[in-house]
Amino acid sequence: MKILPIENLRGVIEIPGDKSISHRSIIFSSLADTPVEIENFLNGADCLSTVACMKSFGADIKIDGDKVFVKGNGLHGLREPENVLDAGNSGTTLRLLLGLAAPQNFITTFTGDSSLRQRPMGRVIKPLTEMGASIVGRNENKNLPITVIPATSYPLPPTFYPLKSITYQMPVASAQVKSAIILAGLYADGITTIIEPAPSRDHTEKMLSAFGVRIEKVGDAVKVYPAENLTAPKKITVPNDISSAAYWIVLATVLKNSAVTIKNVGVNQTRTGILDVMKEMGAQIELENLRESGGELSADIKVTSSKLRGVEIGGAIIPRLIDEVPALAVAAAFAEGTTIIHDVGELRVKESDRLKAIADEFNKISAGSFETTATDLIIHGGLKKTYAECKTYADHRIAMALSIFGAASEGVEIDDADCVKISYPNFFERLAVRF
């Protein structure tokens, strides 16, 4: 697909529902025993993988556009899947459902696409194993397929054997690993404590609290109490996805004579690192119409053209913007001076090696702008931009970042446009409209 240069962006932009919250709304609603209506659900490939898996666990799920109607069988009413569960390309689906499958009294086997099968799962399997789960991966790296085996022998009593509660010091901040432990902790024999090196996304904690689960935040620790049942809200409204908003925020900032308002974006403080860093770089960004629903904050984000400068970031802010780093790298290429982003080694084990993809592909558009180390990304701003043909590595975030980079430069051709359906099915339609 060829993306042509764009002169400016103006007007109002509607973006898809939040992917992280959409995943969790399906899983948690499926664990309740009363119906839940989900509004503004992200009908993308990743979230549909979660839908398919929860159906296999026995939930009744019906989709009508961006609305989903879920009827579960209760926290202790999951059924044994008839077949292997396919998580597709979705690391969120796999990691969270490993935590849910760990305490069940039946065997569950997970697989995924070629990309997901290469992603190591040891860091989520380790704490679950400490809790007493029995989980076997394909090899020593714990790659898919992965089988979760009941820790007890047949025949089974009608109730579940609880996992052990643990205190787990996470080596790397990860909302997915934390959420897997929390889900397993609902079935544990006491209080499970997770200690984070830095705050990661807290959508799981907020939503499960709305479902009546007792979860406490004490300093760097998250404490989850075992639960007998979930008390579901009748309706969940998913805010729009700040990760999807990031591409328009960057594009409107770097293009001249641009002014856009992105509607109803989730601005949970564990997700707004992109806004903080863009403002530090000089971007003119304002939040309007701030409101709260189900414990989650949302706002309209107003962005106008700005002159950017390079910054140096790392440490605690990185978990708050890890998915937005490819878009942030594009912004940095238009900034004055050098931007250094430390502590992003996790990007090497995403849908692709994103640091390598940035170095290999973004440099085709702006030669010499991007350097990487094992864990850092260095961007030299202000260098010449040209038309280029680039690979996406079947990675939705690389594809969208390359697209806005080309749109703000001399154009770009990417080899795989379909991969964006994972998180933003109508991205290219919106880009072509040009508002």
Side-chain angles (χ1 to χ4, degrees), residues 61-83:
I61 305 174
K62 294 181 172 59
I63 300 176
D64 182 8
D66 67 353
K67 289 187 177 182
V68 183
F69 302 89
V70 183
K71 177 64 168 65
N73 294 306
L75 187 64
H76 297 279
L78 270 66
R79 300 172 187 166
E80 183 170 6
E82 294 182 357
N83 298 298

Side-chain angles (χ1 to χ4, degrees), residues 224-240:
V224 58
Y225 290 71
E228 292 298 322
N229 61 283
L230 301 188
T231 306
K234 292 182 179 180
K235 180 180 288 189
I236 297 171
T237 300
V238 178
N240 290 333

Side-chain angles (χ1 to χ4, degrees), residues 15-30:
I15 59 174
D18 187 281
K19 185 156 77 83
S20 296
I21 298 175
S22 292
H23 279 297
R24 288 159 173 80
S25 66
I26 293 293
I27 295 170
F28 303 158
S29 296
S30 297

